[in-house]
Amino acid sequence: AKAWERVRLTPDTLTVERGAPGRPTRIWNFQPYWLRVEADDKHLTIASHGKRCELMPFLSAGERRDFAVRLKAALARIKEAPTGIP
C-alpha cells in the first residue's frame, strides 16, 4: 500500500525509480531516443536495447493508456528538439 514509483524524463535519460517499505529502491535508466513504449489493457512497458521495465502496474487500464499517450508525446518532443549543434 505504500509502494511508490517515479518516472523522470530529461533530454538525456528516462529514469524509473520504484520503492516499497522494507525493500531497496530499484532504479532503471533508459536513453529516450531509442525507447519503445508498449501499452495494452493489462501492461505498460518501456524497452530499449534489451532492457525492459513495466510501469505503473497499480493504475487502471485507462490511466495506463493515458500515461502511455503522454509519455509517447514527451518522447516525441525530445526527439524533435534541436541538439544545439549547428
Side-chain angles (χ1 to χ4, degrees):
K2 302 277 185 184
W4 57 272
E5 186 167 283
R6 180 181 305 134
V7 179
R8 188 176 330 165
L9 178 61
T10 69
D12 299 319
T13 307
L14 182 133
T15 301
V16 178
E17 295 178 78
R18 185 177 296 151
R23 293 184 167 178
T25 299
R26 296 190 63 195
I27 300 172
W28 294 265
N29 290 300
F30 295 89
Q31 203 285 339
Y33 189 81
W34 302 108
L35 196 62
R36 290 183 323 279
V37 179
E38 303 163 357
D40 59 32
D41 287 342
K42 296 183 181 185
H43 302 282
L44 169 58
T45 305
I46 57 174
S48 177
H49 292 92
K51 290 192 328 185
R52 176 176 296 280
C53 179
E54 183 177 354
L55 297 178
M56 315 288 179
F58 47 83
L59 296 180
S60 69
E63 291 170 323
R64 277 193 300 273
R65 281 192 301 271
D66 183 54
F67 187 84
V69 167
R70 291 172 185 235
L71 180 56
K72 287 177 182 180
L75 289 166
R77 284 191 302 272
I78 284 176
K79 291 175 185 178
E80 293 170 0
T83 61
I85 300 172

